[in-house]
Amino acid sequence: MLEELKKEVLEANLELPKKGLITYTWGNVSGIDREKGLIVIKPSGVEYDNMKVEDLVVVDFNGKVVEGHYKPSSDTATHIELYKAFPNIEGVVHTHSTWATIFSQAGKDLVAYGTTHADYFCGDIPCTRKMDPAEIGGEYERETGTVIIETIKERGLNPDHMPAILVNSHGPFTWGSSPLNAVHNAVVLEELAKMAYSTEKLNNEVKQMQTELLEKHFYRKHGKDAYYGQN
Amino acid sequence: MLEELKKEVLEANLELPKKGLITYTWGNVSGIDREKGLIVIKPSGVEYDNMKVEDLVVVDFNGKVVEGHYKPSSDTATHIELYKAFPNIEGVVHTHSTWATIFSQAGKDLVAYGTTHADYFCGDIPCTRKMDPAEIGGEYERETGTVIIETIKERGLNPDHMPAILVNSHGPFTWGSSPLNAVHNAVVLEELAKMAYSTEKLNNEVKQMQTELLEKHFYRKHGKDAYYGQN
Amino acid sequence: MLEELKKEVLEANLELPKKGLITYTWGNVSGIDREKGLIVIKPSGVEYDNMKVEDLVVVDFNGKVVEGHYKPSSDTATHIELYKAFPNIEGVVHTHSTWATIFSQAGKDLVAYGTTHADYFCGDIPCTRKMDPAEIGGEYERETGTVIIETIKERGLNPDHMPAILVNSHGPFTWGSSPLNAVHNAVVLEELAKMAYSTEKLNNEVKQMQTELLEKHFYRKHGKDAYYGQN
Amino acid sequence: MLEELKKEVLEANLELPKKGLITYTWGNVSGIDREKGLIVIKPSGVEYDNMKVEDLVVVDFNGKVVEGHYKPSSDTATHIELYKAFPNIEGVVHTHSTWATIFSQAGKDLVAYGTTHADYFCGDIPCTRKMDPAEIGGEYERETGTVIIETIKERGLNPDHMPAILVNSHGPFTWGSSPLNAVHNAVVLEELAKMAYSTEKLNNEVKQMQTELLEKHFYRKHGKDAYYGQN
């Protein structure tokens, strides 16, 4: 079942090592079929080198395995929460990519310092609060989703214009219009984090870029008046 | 038309991913035929992997497409301004390469700290002022060119001896005697930015190198008494 | 003799250059056959490029060569001490990998800042005290093992839950349930050190992650209630 | 003439891009035949990609070209001075490798912080003073050699135990028992510089490693009682 989606989810998972976003199995990508209400996700702790379409796991919105001979990613419950809360997204990615994880560990937002950032994210990329002991001791992976959604809401952000978050003391999640688009956003996030770190070190008085420039670049590529790219 | 120039512009564009200067499509190279007054430039938002000679776009000095089935790079207007203002240059490059972009985001000049810098750039590489809301809201890409030219002029620089600039909150532009030479300068700029950053961190009292040494190295390679290389 | 173990030790040694952990011959891996009381280890100062199964050296617990045409690694005595003190380990790795060595040179513990760390190491990874002149002038390589074991004990650590250490002014040793598992831990250590360094620079008030989160992640992957991975 | 030496010098030059020490043509290696008093060196400004044995240049101790269809490296006069002053060396390397150049630009010695350093260099690697205008304006490349030799002497160093130097505002030179050994030292120097930089940032009170440990490691590999490696 869902053979086309599985192929895309496999391809998106294989992009993670190709783009240098992961060490060993530290990452996972999922995709969704919204009509059927089913999610295709990477199996837990399986190496990328020989992963095949049939190794992927199909789960429903309750996390129940509908198809697959492996256990799904241990982060499956987080993915499900995001699909439920953000109705337009079709792919979710989690990695421990170096620079995004550094911001997560430092508990700091990734401030928009330049047009590279503005081309993809319409504002600072938030870092969540720390999870509390009850959340950690309870349904931890589901609660990770909850704190992400809480952060996006509290900051007044549109998840379609802010397709990334930094989970405190953990690492990044990104999402997008497809599994591959969510990986694309994960690659961009990593490069932005790398640049923001040294931007702050080079100029310790640096501020967020001008709002005019931020919005110019974001809406040049996104929304109804976009003129970047073909079409 | 312009088949030879197209080949060179394609080759120069393909150098960008090969040299690690770009992520996805974040860069573009153009070349000019000054006799015909025509510019060959990368299409907007097209992947490098399968780019072909026939995908390149030919535009005139007004930005009008003369040949090509794609839209030209969204930065075309910036390239045109540079060709108009700097009469000796034959190629222009724009990237978001990591370290040069860090200096752009920090709003800092790239100071000449050693002979590696002096072999290519006769002085500090300037960072422009921030663009104002009217410039951003108006013909933004053309105004980006205007602020580059203004900066080169205000600093009293010869664009043939200073073939690079850092656009504030954005990233670098370089130019040169050919599209490939402009890419060469972009590669050097990136390495210089990487080294200058850590030079400043290692010695927070470091100053620009001695003028004698700067000029010795620059003129050893450039100008009529050059003796570096063959011939 | 020990042909299977030799193959695994060779494969584990070859992982070091593949994973970017070593420059030239700056690293070595060993494995143990606990029933026979014999250790298989890399020969001293031999290049990785053409290393073969028959180049590996078999030594006993006194460091006496039992088989092999090369001298064993100069660090053999350190490996032996670790196998004697930590009865469950089956593989030992020593490298001078960049970021772990930086922490060793700085004489600083590698603090647990995030779940990437907690997935592998149940607490901060300790840096040993400096060795004293008598230790350096005596049986230096054996004393290196002694100071590692002393540190693990004084910190009250379980070596099976803390399979790594930083030797002051020197570099890291890791161990594990097999030679390949010890290399896996060396790869993780290097990535953790890289991230911890910049985490501290980005937020100079950052503290160790919450104990609840540390233990949640460690025991999710290790111990009898583990649920990460397959089975 | 000197066909064997030329092959070795070519191989050593090709190691520079392979080991990531150079951008474009920013480096050169030479070797010497001390009996004949002739030096084989890379041609000036020639790309590495297609360099052949016959492209190498043979010069005498006055810098006169004895054989070759290219001009020799512009740094030839520096190489000659080093061969004249250090009678045991058989190869010389110059690069602008990133981290060693950062120390040169910052004008700082590369302090010995760990055993990786001590395995190759018996003490801190010195950075020269700045050259004065007369030296820069005169026989600049020869004077570069003079200031290197002056620094080695003033510090009371044995060039066979300290086969590297950082030229202020410029970059590193290394030497060794052969062209390939000099390249080996250049690779090690680069890695040491990378680690020393972050060691200082991680612990701003870090001091040179203990003399006992420094000498233990250096003489374990060098001199008559060496026991590292085979034989």
Side-chain angles (χ1 to χ4, degrees):
Chain A
M1 64 196 299
L2 302 175
E3 293 308 310
E4 279 313 301
L5 181 58
K6 277 185 189 165
K7 273 186 209 163
E8 192 182 349
V9 171
L10 179 65
E11 185 189 349
N13 271 289
L14 296 180
E15 277 289 289
L16 299 183
K18 237 188 270 178
K19 296 295 188 186
L21 293 188
I22 57 161
T23 301
Y24 293 118
T25 61
W26 305 353
N28 44 71
V29 184
S30 70
I32 192 167
D33 182 319
R34 288 210 173 259
E35 271 191 31
K36 298 204 174 70
L38 294 175
I39 293 159
V40 174
I41 193 163
K42 181 182 165 290
S44 179
V46 167
E47 300 283 345
Y48 286 86
D49 288 353
N50 299 306
M51 205 183 293
K52 293 181 201 68
V53 162
E54 57 265 32
D55 298 334
L56 296 173
V57 187
V58 183
V59 299
D60 66 18
F61 267 43
N62 298 311
K64 199 173 151 277
V65 174
V66 172
E67 191 187 64
H69 51 277
Y70 280 124
K71 284 164 56 185
S73 165
S74 57
D75 299 307
T76 300
T78 315
H79 290 239
I80 291 172
E81 291 307 299
L82 299 181
Y83 285 121
K84 290 199 290 195
F86 307 152
N88 299 325
I89 70 176
E90 306 271 343
V92 171
V93 172
H94 174 48
T95 77
H96 289 221
S97 68
T98 308
W99 289 96
T101 300
I102 286 163
F103 275 81
S104 293
Q105 294 192 158
K108 302 241 297 181
D109 290 0
L110 179 47
V111 176
Y113 290 125
T115 61
T116 326
H117 187 119
D119 281 338
Y120 291 89
F121 301 95
C122 198
D124 299 346
I125 299 167
C127 183
T128 70
R129 65 168 170 81
K130 294 196 185 219
M131 294 172 73
D132 64 38
E135 291 166 334
I136 295 167
E139 289 186 66
Y140 169 65
E141 290 83 3
R142 196 172 66 73
E143 297 288 0
T144 302
T146 307
V147 77
I148 292 171
I149 295 156
E150 170 199 308
T151 305
I152 293 289
K153 282 195 182 144
E154 282 188 356
R155 305 279 185 112
L157 294 167
N158 174 350
D160 302 333
H161 290 186
M162 181 50 65
I165 199 132
L166 304 162
V167 178
N168 204 306
S169 310
H170 191 155
F173 279 81
T174 61
W175 46 87
S177 58
S178 70
L180 281 167
N181 177 253
V183 172
H184 190 111
N185 289 334
V187 170
V188 175
L189 171 65
E190 178 63 8
E191 180 65 13
L192 293 178
K194 186 180 180 185
M195 296 199 300
Y197 174 88
S198 293
T199 298
E200 293 184 11
K201 294 287 155 210
L202 190 57
N203 179 353
N204 58 24
E205 293 177 357
V206 68
K207 298 259 186 308
Q208 199 203 44
M209 64 196 298
Q210 299 144 277
T211 305
E212 294 87 351
L213 188 61
L214 174 64
E215 296 188 344
K216 169 71 188 176
H217 268 260
F218 188 79
Y219 292 109
R220 182 172 94 152
K221 284 189 72 170
H222 306 266
K224 63 180 174 52
D225 296 326
Y227 60 92
Y228 182 95
Q230 303 304 323
N231 291 325
Chain B
M1 67 196 297
L2 302 174
E3 293 308 310
E4 279 312 301
L5 180 58
K6 278 185 189 165
K7 273 186 209 163
E8 192 182 349
V9 171
L10 178 65
E11 185 189 350
N13 271 289
L14 296 180
E15 276 290 288
L16 298 183
K18 237 189 270 179
K19 296 294 187 187
L21 292 188
I22 57 161
T23 300
Y24 293 118
T25 61
W26 304 353
N28 44 69
V29 184
S30 70
I32 192 167
D33 182 319
R34 288 212 173 259
E35 272 191 30
K36 299 203 173 72
L38 294 175
I39 293 159
V40 173
I41 192 163
K42 181 182 165 290
S44 179
V46 168
E47 301 283 345
Y48 286 87
D49 288 353
N50 299 307
M51 205 182 293
K52 293 182 202 67
V53 162
E54 57 266 31
D55 297 334
L56 296 173
V57 186
V58 182
V59 298
D60 66 17
F61 268 44
N62 297 311
K64 198 173 153 277
V65 174
V66 173
E67 190 187 66
H69 51 277
Y70 280 124
K71 283 165 56 186
S73 165
S74 58
D75 300 306
T76 300
T78 316
H79 289 239
I80 291 172
E81 291 307 299
L82 299 182
Y83 285 121
K84 289 199 290 194
F86 306 153
N88 299 325
I89 70 175
E90 306 271 342
V92 171
V93 173
H94 173 49
T95 78
H96 289 220
S97 69
T98 307
W99 288 97
T101 300
I102 286 165
F103 274 80
S104 292
Q105 293 191 157
K108 302 241 297 182
D109 290 359
L110 179 48
V111 176
Y113 289 125
T115 61
T116 326
H117 187 119
D119 281 338
Y120 291 89
F121 301 94
C122 198
D124 300 347
I125 299 168
C127 183
T128 70
R129 65 169 169 80
K130 294 197 186 219
M131 292 171 74
D132 64 37
E135 290 166 335
I136 295 167
E139 290 185 66
Y140 169 65
E141 290 83 3
R142 196 172 66 74
E143 297 288 0
T144 301
T146 307
V147 77
I148 292 171
I149 296 156
E150 170 199 307
T151 305
I152 293 289
K153 281 195 183 145
E154 282 188 356
R155 305 279 185 113
L157 294 167
N158 174 350
D160 301 332
H161 290 187
M162 181 51 65
I165 199 135
L166 303 162
V167 178
N168 205 307
S169 311
H170 190 155
F173 278 82
T174 60
W175 46 87
S177 58
S178 70
L180 281 167
N181 178 253
V183 172
H184 190 111
N185 289 335
V187 171
V188 174
L189 171 65
E190 178 63 9
E191 179 65 13
L192 294 178
K194 186 181 181 185
M195 297 200 299
Y197 174 87
S198 292
T199 298
E200 293 184 10
K201 294 288 156 208
L202 190 58
N203 179 353
N204 58 26
E205 294 176 357
V206 68
K207 298 260 184 309
Q208 199 203 46
M209 65 195 299
Q210 300 145 277
T211 306
E212 294 88 351
L213 188 61
L214 174 64
E215 296 187 344
K216 169 71 189 177
H217 268 261
F218 188 79
Y219 292 109
R220 182 172 95 152
K221 285 188 71 169
H222 306 267
K224 64 179 175 50
D225 297 325
Y227 61 92
Y228 182 95
Q230 303 303 324
N231 291 327
Chain C
M1 65 196 299
L2 302 174
E3 293 308 310
E4 279 312 302
L5 181 57
K6 277 183 189 166
K7 274 185 208 163
E8 193 183 348
V9 171
L10 178 66
E11 185 189 349
N13 270 290
L14 296 181
E15 277 289 289
L16 299 184
K18 237 189 270 178
K19 296 294 187 187
L21 293 188
I22 56 162
T23 300
Y24 293 119
T25 62
W26 305 352
N28 44 70
V29 184
S30 70
I32 192 166
D33 182 319
R34 288 211 173 259
E35 272 192 30
K36 297 204 175 72
L38 294 175
I39 293 158
V40 174
I41 193 163
K42 180 183 166 290
S44 179
V46 168
E47 300 283 345
Y48 285 87
D49 288 353
N50 298 307
M51 205 182 294
K52 294 182 199 67
V53 163
E54 58 265 31
D55 298 334
L56 296 173
V57 187
V58 182
V59 298
D60 66 18
F61 268 43
N62 297 312
K64 199 173 152 275
V65 174
V66 172
E67 192 187 65
H69 51 278
Y70 280 124
K71 284 163 58 184
S73 164
S74 57
D75 299 306
T76 299
T78 316
H79 289 240
I80 291 172
E81 291 307 299
L82 298 182
Y83 285 121
K84 288 200 290 196
F86 306 154
N88 300 325
I89 70 176
E90 306 271 342
V92 171
V93 172
H94 174 50
T95 78
H96 289 221
S97 68
T98 308
W99 288 96
T101 300
I102 286 163
F103 275 80
S104 292
Q105 293 191 158
K108 302 241 297 181
D109 290 358
L110 179 48
V111 176
Y113 290 125
T115 62
T116 326
H117 187 120
D119 281 338
Y120 291 89
F121 301 94
C122 198
D124 299 347
I125 299 168
C127 183
T128 70
R129 65 169 170 80
K130 294 197 184 217
M131 293 172 74
D132 64 37
E135 291 166 334
I136 294 167
E139 290 185 65
Y140 169 65
E141 289 84 3
R142 195 173 67 73
E143 297 288 2
T144 302
T146 307
V147 77
I148 292 171
I149 296 156
E150 171 199 307
T151 305
I152 293 288
K153 281 194 183 145
E154 281 187 356
R155 305 278 186 114
L157 294 167
N158 174 350
D160 301 332
H161 290 185
M162 182 50 65
I165 199 135
L166 303 163
V167 178
N168 204 308
S169 310
H170 190 155
F173 279 81
T174 61
W175 46 86
S177 58
S178 70
L180 280 168
N181 177 253
V183 172
H184 190 111
N185 290 334
V187 171
V188 174
L189 171 65
E190 178 63 7
E191 179 65 14
L192 294 178
K194 187 181 180 184
M195 296 200 300
Y197 174 87
S198 292
T199 298
E200 293 183 11
K201 294 288 155 208
L202 190 57
N203 178 353
N204 58 26
E205 293 177 357
V206 68
K207 299 259 184 309
Q208 199 203 46
M209 63 196 300
Q210 300 144 277
T211 306
E212 294 88 352
L213 188 61
L214 175 64
E215 297 187 344
K216 169 71 189 177
H217 267 261
F218 188 79
Y219 292 110
R220 181 172 95 152
K221 285 189 71 170
H222 306 267
K224 64 180 173 54
D225 296 327
Y227 61 91
Y228 182 96
Q230 304 301 325
N231 291 326
Chain D
M1 66 195 300
L2 302 175
E3 293 307 311
E4 279 313 301
L5 180 57
K6 277 184 189 165
K7 273 185 209 165
E8 193 183 347
V9 171
L10 178 66
E11 186 189 348
N13 271 290
L14 296 181
E15 276 290 288
L16 298 183
K18 237 189 271 179
K19 297 294 187 186
L21 293 188
I22 56 161
T23 301
Y24 293 118
T25 61
W26 305 352
N28 44 69
V29 184
S30 70
I32 192 167
D33 182 319
R34 289 212 173 259
E35 273 192 30
K36 299 204 173 72
L38 294 175
I39 293 158
V40 174
I41 194 163
K42 181 183 165 290
S44 179
V46 168
E47 300 284 343
Y48 285 86
D49 288 353
N50 298 307
M51 205 183 292
K52 293 182 201 67
V53 163
E54 58 265 31
D55 298 333
L56 296 173
V57 186
V58 182
V59 298
D60 65 17
F61 267 44
N62 297 312
K64 200 174 151 273
V65 174
V66 173
E67 192 188 64
H69 51 278
Y70 279 124
K71 282 164 58 185
S73 165
S74 57
D75 299 306
T76 300
T78 317
H79 290 241
I80 291 172
E81 291 306 299
L82 298 181
Y83 284 121
K84 289 199 289 193
F86 305 155
N88 300 324
I89 70 175
E90 305 271 342
V92 171
V93 172
H94 174 49
T95 78
H96 289 220
S97 69
T98 308
W99 289 96
T101 301
I102 286 164
F103 275 81
S104 292
Q105 292 192 159
K108 302 242 296 181
D109 290 0
L110 179 48
V111 176
Y113 289 125
T115 61
T116 325
H117 186 119
D119 281 338
Y120 290 89
F121 301 94
C122 199
D124 299 347
I125 298 167
C127 183
T128 70
R129 64 168 170 80
K130 295 197 184 217
M131 293 171 74
D132 63 38
E135 290 166 335
I136 295 168
E139 290 185 65
Y140 169 65
E141 290 83 3
R142 195 173 67 74
E143 297 288 1
T144 301
T146 307
V147 77
I148 292 172
I149 295 156
E150 170 199 307
T151 305
I152 293 289
K153 281 196 183 145
E154 282 188 355
R155 304 279 186 114
L157 294 167
N158 174 349
D160 301 333
H161 290 186
M162 181 51 64
I165 199 132
L166 304 162
V167 178
N168 205 308
S169 309
H170 190 155
F173 279 81
T174 61
W175 46 87
S177 58
S178 70
L180 280 167
N181 177 253
V183 172
H184 190 111
N185 289 334
V187 171
V188 175
L189 171 65
E190 178 63 9
E191 179 66 13
L192 294 177
K194 186 181 179 183
M195 297 200 299
Y197 174 87
S198 291
T199 298
E200 293 183 12
K201 295 286 155 210
L202 191 56
N203 179 353
N204 57 26
E205 293 177 357
V206 67
K207 298 260 186 308
Q208 198 203 46
M209 64 194 300
Q210 301 144 277
T211 306
E212 294 88 352
L213 188 61
L214 174 64
E215 295 187 344
K216 169 71 189 177
H217 268 261
F218 188 79
Y219 291 109
R220 180 173 97 152
K221 284 188 72 170
H222 306 266
K224 64 180 174 52
D225 296 326
Y227 60 91
Y228 182 95
Q230 305 302 325
N231 289 327

